[in-house]
């Protein structure tokens, strides 16, 4: 085969969108040596994000929802590297290896951009510094370790005010990620305290969900079903503050737009996403950083470049709104991209347009509790929880990981939570605990006594 008769497809991003395009192209171009496919991703694994909150609550083992990208690649080349620049005019992509910063330039005939989104702190550096987020496997592991660490300290604390601050968790963001995260952590912390940290009364554990949405949480859902979710969370002891934004945060507090300050030792920020500058800086039209594509999911100015998933701005012609950034949509979009790549390369088929109506939405909001709106049916409670578990288990790639997650869930039904604190926890400043010097610790009681005397 003439080397230049071979068509090179370069896929950027190994998330839901990128992997699904890869798998479909493998089927379309099976045994076809005239097409060469390469994949670039920063991590060497695909992350199944819907189950991420269950990593933070210790139900699932981190590697059970992380699938090495090389297991998806058959004859395709995989580069574990960061995409650092895209030059669509010259059909070149620069990638940088994390290990040594070495830059490599890849060329392509067709480009698929599926680089997802990153956390948006809206420029608030103090919130960024003082909060966790829930986007990567490292985030979920860090949150779990931090929560166990807080329980270890709180259990030793006799001052109930300090203990309450240590045991107050604030999740900012009333969307799916925020709701599922607080639901999971509420169960994890309360169950762990009941079984292992007996000096922490349940009444001293405070869970707060802050949502900017006017009418409560989960604004993307039917209001009836969102109300059910609110009621379930409240029944589980979670305080919901809606129509309010978090505007400032420090080591041990979060300050809200309604003027309230909440003393706390854990803040998790799930309130917004943005697009990495490597995508938002591309020479084409954007909406909030996302790349505007036509109904064939191509960039109008660059017919050989397809964009999909969270980093694409795709207009729903029925409503005039953008399609939401969900895994469900990314998977559907991937079918159109693969088909249109096939039609471009083989010249045999007509292009297809992306036109999709969601079959439903669902969320788990704690142990044996969920909400779902599927095919027009509104379901809540244990039935919705079972539907969620069944659906996402079938969606999880590879039989091995399905078995591992099913086993994790089964084990969790019969055993107590795992509170092993593995690895070193990031040291927080002493002033988090109102301690400034060692003298403060050693001579605090004497000093207080002499202050009282004088
Ligand atoms: C906690 C949580 C729970 C969620 N739950 C659900 C749910 O229940 N249902 C649902 O439908 N959706 C859910 N979502 C949303 C869903 O995860 C996203 O919509 C989906 O992942 C989008 O797919 P994507 O391929 O566009 O992006 P991603 O899956 O994020 O993939 C992007 C990939 O690109 C890589 N990447 C990014 N930048 C670079 C770079 N510069 N160089 C190299 N690689 C890079 C990333 O490492 C990643 O692998 C959830 C999201 C979160 C965070």
């Amino acid at each position: 085969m003439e080397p230049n008769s071979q068509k090179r497809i370069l896929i950027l991003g190994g998330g839901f969108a990128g992997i699904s395009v890869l798998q479909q192209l493998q089927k379309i171009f099976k045994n076809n040596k005239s097409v060469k496919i390469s994949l670039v991703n920063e991590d060497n694994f695909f992350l199944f994000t819907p189950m991420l909150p269950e990593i933070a609550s210790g139900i699932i083992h981190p590697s059970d929802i992380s699938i090495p990208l090389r297991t998806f690649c058959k004859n395709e080349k995989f580069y574990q590297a960061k995409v650092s620049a895209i030059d669509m005019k010259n059909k070149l992509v620069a990638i940088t290896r994390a290990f040594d910063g070495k830059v490599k330039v890849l060329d392509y005939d067709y480009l698929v951009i599926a680089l997802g989104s990153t956390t948006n702190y809206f420029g608030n550096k103090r919130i960024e510094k003082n909060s966790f987020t829930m986007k990567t496997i490292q985030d979920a592991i860090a949150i779990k370790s931090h929560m166990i660490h807080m329980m270890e300290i709180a259990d030793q604390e006799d001052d109930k005010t300090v203990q309450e601050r240590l045991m107050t968790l604030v999740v900012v963001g009333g969307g799916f990620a925020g709701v599922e995260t607080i639901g999971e952590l509420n169960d994890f912390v309360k169950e762990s305290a009941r079984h292992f940290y007996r000096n922490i009364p349940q009444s001293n554990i405070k869970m707060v969900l802050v949502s900017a949405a006017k009418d409560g949480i989960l604004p993307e859902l039917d209001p009836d079903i969102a109300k059910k979710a609110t009621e379930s969370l409240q029944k589980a002891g979670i305080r919901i503050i809606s129509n309010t934004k978090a505007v400032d945060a420090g080591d041990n507090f979060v300050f809200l737009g309604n003027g309230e300050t909440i003393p706390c030792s854990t803040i998790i920020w799930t309130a917004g996403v943005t697009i990495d500058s490597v995508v938002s800086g591309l020479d084409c039209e954007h909406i909030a950083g996302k790349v505007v594509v036509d109904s064939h999911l191509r960039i109008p100015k660059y017919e050989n470049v397809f964009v999909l998933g969270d980093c694409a701005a795709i207009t729903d012609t029925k409503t005039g709104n953008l399609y939401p950034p969900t895994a469900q949509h990314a998977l559907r979009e991937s079918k159109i991209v693969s088909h249109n790549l096939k039609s471009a390369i083989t010249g045999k088929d007509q292009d297809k347009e992306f036109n999709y109506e969601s079959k439903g939405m669902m969320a788990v909001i704690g142990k044996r509790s969920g909400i779902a709106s599927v095919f027009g049916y509104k379901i809540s409670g244990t039935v919705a929880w079972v539907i969620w578990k069944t659906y996402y288990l079938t969606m999880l790639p590879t039989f091995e990981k399905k078995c591992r997650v099913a086993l994790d869930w089964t084990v969790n039904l019969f055993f107590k939570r795992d509170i092993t604190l593995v690895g070193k926890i990031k040291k927080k400043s002493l002033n988090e605990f109102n301690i400034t010097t060692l003298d403060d610790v050693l001579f605090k009681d004497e000093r207080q006594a002499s202050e009282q005397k004088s």
Side-chain angles (χ1 to χ4, degrees), residues 88-90 283-284 298-306:
M88 297 190 290
K89 274 195 191 115
N90 296 304
D283 161 38
C284 57
R298 287 188 163 98
I299 299 182
K301 240 163 77 176
Y302 299 96
E303 287 274 291
N304 63 332
V305 183
F306 295 84

Side-chain angles (χ1 to χ4, degrees), residues 13-18 41-43 49-50 52-53 81-83 114-116 134-135 177 180 278 308-310 325-328 330 392:
F16 278 93
N41 198 69
E42 213 169 357
D43 294 313
T49 48
L52 204 52
K82 190 172 170 61
V83 175
L115 290 170
M134 180 61 96
K135 202 74 181 117
E180 294 190 336
V278 76
L308 74 162
D310 284 8
T326 73
Q328 188 187 142
Y392 281 106

Side-chain angles (χ1 to χ4, degrees), residues 64-75:
D64 294 353
I65 59 161
S66 319
I67 299 116
L69 286 166
R70 285 179 188 277
T71 59
F72 296 99
C73 296
K74 291 174 182 149
N75 301 314

